[in-house]
Amino acid sequence: VSSQQFSALTEVLFRFLTEPKEVERFLTQLSDFATMNKISLGPLKNIVKSILLVPNGALKRNLSPEQVRADFIALGLSEEKASYFAEQWKVNSPTLTRLAVGQTLMINQLIDMEWKFGVTAGSSELEKVGSIFLQLKLVIKKGSQLENVYVELTLPQFYSFLHEMERVKTSLESFS
Amino acid sequence: LGPLAQRACPGLAVSAEEAEQLVSALHNLTRHVVYRGLTRAEDILCLFPENFHQNLKNLLTKIILENVSAWRNEAQASQISLPRLVDMDWRVDIKTSSDSIVRMAVPTCLLQLKIQEDAALCGNNPVVSALTVELSKETLDTMLEGLGRIRDQLSAVANK
């Protein structure tokens, strides 16, 4: 494989790594590459599979670009190609790291929040009430499903909640 | 015969029907006062029939006045509503490792909300459930933005 072809292939690989959902696009680009360079798709797929193992392992273990380069050389890749790949790795690793962190397990993740507030005018027990209520709708991801949770808060509860959330923010910021 | 009427019977030396009538009448009177939100003695006194015993009328009015705001608060607390927030707790964790990445330092917040189901449905045994939610820093920032907007809207309404 010439260095030009290698860079083209590397580009395809990294585009897939940074957008792992674009599987179809990746496969199309791979078969285009195969046809253009007169390589058969089967062996190419196998090579790509082995190559992909390197960045995935590197990501898991937070390897530096030099370590990635050394790994590739150990696998038998030429120095030039390994350096090129390591460079690409350096450029893309922030995005890839962010993606990996994003994939980390989250319990009951809060997806969305909607609210409305109003005044209770009257009830079956009390003719005139005039108290303010706040209703929150929280959209929570439980496993793979979304669940809506409805909660009502009084005004003092709301202010207390807001105050606590601001304390959480300060706490999170001090750890970033 | 309700428990109150049963207890009243021997003490008042009345028949079962009369006790029941008495309790029912008292109940209606107090519910009416609470419903209308009557707070002045005059408004309550005029509810009684003309030839009602004067001292008894005054005593009843006095007792009702003493209790009316507690009763109103209780009525409001047991009103039908969406599930209500009764408590909240939070903690901040730092995620250091996962199956997808071996070393990281990502702060995350766990928020626990204690929610009580509609009091009117549960009667005397309220069902409280705990909901634990995880918030990333970005989610928290967005949420705070939303809460800030609620606060601004509330101030705008209060100042009208």
Side-chain angles (χ1 to χ4, degrees), chain B residues 81-98:
Chain B
S81 73
L82 285 185
R84 294 193 189 153
L85 182 70
V86 288
D87 199 8
M88 80 163 254
D89 279 314
W90 59 266
R91 85 175 194 214
V92 166
D93 287 345
I94 312 271
K95 297 199 239 210
T96 53
S97 178
S98 83

Side-chain angles (χ1 to χ4, degrees), chain A residues 30-94:
Chain A
L30 263 192
S31 64
D32 285 346
F33 182 84
T35 346
M36 262 205 307
N37 297 291
K38 302 192 190 23
I39 314 173
S40 43
L41 194 52
L44 177 65
K45 275 198 184 158
N46 286 335
I47 298 177
V48 165
K49 239 185 269 189
S50 350
I51 301 184
L52 277 178
L53 283 177
V54 178
N56 281 335
L59 193 56
K60 230 176 175 162
R61 282 145 42 225
N62 294 102
L63 293 184
S64 70
E66 292 73 41
Q67 285 167 313
V68 172
R69 195 175 81 100
D71 272 351
F72 265 121
I73 295 180
L75 282 173
L77 207 58
S78 76
E79 258 206 47
E80 192 195 323
K81 295 199 178 108
S83 304
Y84 179 75
F85 196 93
E87 261 312 299
Q88 289 303 306
W89 168 254
K90 195 158 154 192
V91 167
N92 283 296
S93 67

